[in-house]
Amino acid sequence: MSHDHHHDHGHDHYGHGAAHGHDHGHPHHHGPVPGERGFVPAIALNLGFVGLEAAAGIIGGSLALLADAGHNLSDVLGLLLAWGAVRLARRLPSGRRTYGFHRGTILAALGNAMLLLVAVGAIMLESVRRLVEPEPVAAGLMLWVAAAGIVVNAGTALLFARGREADLNRRGAYLHMVADAGVSAGVVAGALLIQATGWLWVDPVLGLLIAGVILAGTWGLLRDSVDLAMDAVPRGIDPEAVREFLAVQPGVAEVHDLHIWALSTTETALTAHLVRPGAGTDDAFLATLGRELRARFGIGHATLQVETGDPAHPCLLAPADRL
């Protein structure tokens, strides 16, 4: 059950009489913890397919299959990372880790992207080698295994389709599986072309194309996960719109020291100082504002410091260039 609570303290970080308002609109686990749905069947299904694809690639001499098997293995490792992060995120906060392990979901998304980049490098190197020294390929085996890959990857993508827009972890898994299905379709087309023409260079060229598809699909995930790891404002939230919203609240004369960042791939936090001359402490104001921030912007963990604006005790964090 969700609950809102706030605490007002009669002193602040700088020793003057401003009131602090903390409103944390979140469930008992400090916000919505991303679900584990889909991870176990996805990991089992893809691990089994990696073994099949690698064996077929070795037997048939297909670089495209081996490249895709390596890529799929990196996806399995990425899924394991994401699943482990989700489970860690369910652990309660402690005295030392006051936010729990929620940030692990961001680190898992970043690790997933890095694994894919390593896979891209390996595929490109081997593809170039095969272009220089072409090797025979069992196109028939390559065709049927790649066709199975379309089914496996498309089915896995469906497991992560729901909730992908709200969770970078799930979106990363979904995009990887969709890309994998497309790659498998390309391998099918390549196998048909090799059967029809006997062109051995098609296989390594497919390997390079696969690497390009992976790189294109990974770039957005890498960019977003690095942004979240660096405490950037999450995509989809306009910080100026949040500032303007806070500035027009009753009695607010100024907003400063506004920070918005991700606690996890599904949770957003905010801190801000609100100058309300003569307003005093107001629990109803803080509780209402916390609910509005959640409803309007998806910010579920808001900490608001209320100040009176006394010129004799200026806030040290009021300048825009101060952290």
Side-chain angles (χ1 to χ4, degrees):
M1 179 181 295
S2 297
H3 63 279
D4 293 307
H5 66 274
H6 58 269
H7 316 291
D8 287 355
H9 311 286
H11 58 85
D12 70 3
H13 298 297
Y14 320 114
H16 55 78
H20 298 238
H22 305 272
D23 182 278
H24 312 296
H26 51 73
H28 291 290
H29 286 280
H30 281 253
V33 178
E36 296 182 47
R37 184 184 64 253
F39 280 107
V40 173
I43 291 169
L45 189 62
N46 280 270
L47 193 57
F49 182 66
V50 165
L52 172 65
E53 196 170 32
I58 293 171
I59 294 171
S62 170
L63 177 60
L65 285 180
L66 286 173
D68 199 33
H71 173 213
N72 285 327
L73 180 59
S74 72
D75 278 349
V76 171
L77 294 175
L79 288 172
L80 285 168
L81 274 176
W83 184 35
V86 168
R87 293 187 66 84
L88 276 176
R90 294 185 178 279
R91 295 181 61 177
L92 292 173
S94 65
R96 183 173 178 79
R97 291 185 173 88
T98 56
Y99 283 124
F101 290 85
H102 289 202
R103 205 169 187 82
T105 57
I106 297 173
L107 297 179
L110 181 59
N112 201 347
M114 297 303 293
L115 278 172
L116 285 170
L117 290 179
V118 171
V120 165
I123 292 169
M124 285 184 167
L125 286 174
E126 183 61 16
S127 295
V128 170
R129 189 189 70 79
R130 283 288 189 95
L131 278 173
V132 176
E133 302 174 6
E135 297 181 12
V137 177
L141 182 61
M142 177 179 168
L143 171 65
W144 288 110
V145 173
I150 297 176
V151 176
V152 170
N153 291 316
T156 304
L158 290 176
L159 294 174
F160 295 99
R162 184 179 175 185
R164 68 185 186 278
E165 297 303 326
D167 183 359
L168 187 65
N169 239 0
R170 296 189 73 83
R171 180 159 68 90
Y174 174 79
L175 289 175
H176 289 171
M177 295 305 116
V178 169
D180 285 354
V183 165
S184 294
V187 175
V188 167
L192 291 172
L193 185 60
I194 292 172
Q195 282 184 330
T197 64
W199 294 339
L200 296 180
W201 56 263
V202 170
D203 187 54
V205 167
L206 273 174
L208 289 172
L209 290 175
I210 290 170
V213 169
I214 299 169
L215 185 61
T218 302
W219 182 250
L221 177 65
L222 179 64
R223 178 197 60 210
D224 289 349
S225 56
V226 167
D227 280 348
L228 294 187
M230 295 297 292
D231 289 335
V233 177
R235 289 183 177 273
I237 297 179
D238 182 352
E240 287 308 311
V242 175
R243 183 182 295 276
E244 291 171 6
F245 168 74
L246 293 173
V248 299
Q249 297 306 305
V252 174
E254 179 190 338
V255 178
H256 60 259
D257 199 37
L258 172 64
H259 297 278
I260 306 169
W261 73 99
L263 291 177
S264 72
T265 54
T266 58
E267 299 171 86
T268 303
L270 170 150
T271 60
H273 293 197
L274 307 181
V275 178
R276 301 183 79 211
T281 59
D282 187 341
D283 286 6
F285 169 78
L286 294 172
T288 300
L289 193 51
R291 287 191 291 270
E292 285 291 311
L293 285 168
R294 174 186 285 279
R296 290 171 178 262
F297 303 103
I299 298 172
H301 193 118
T303 301
L304 302 169
Q305 175 170 302
V306 179
E307 302 167 354
T308 64
D310 183 354
H313 302 282
C315 178
L316 298 179
L317 296 180
D321 60 349
R322 294 292 298 272
L323 292 177

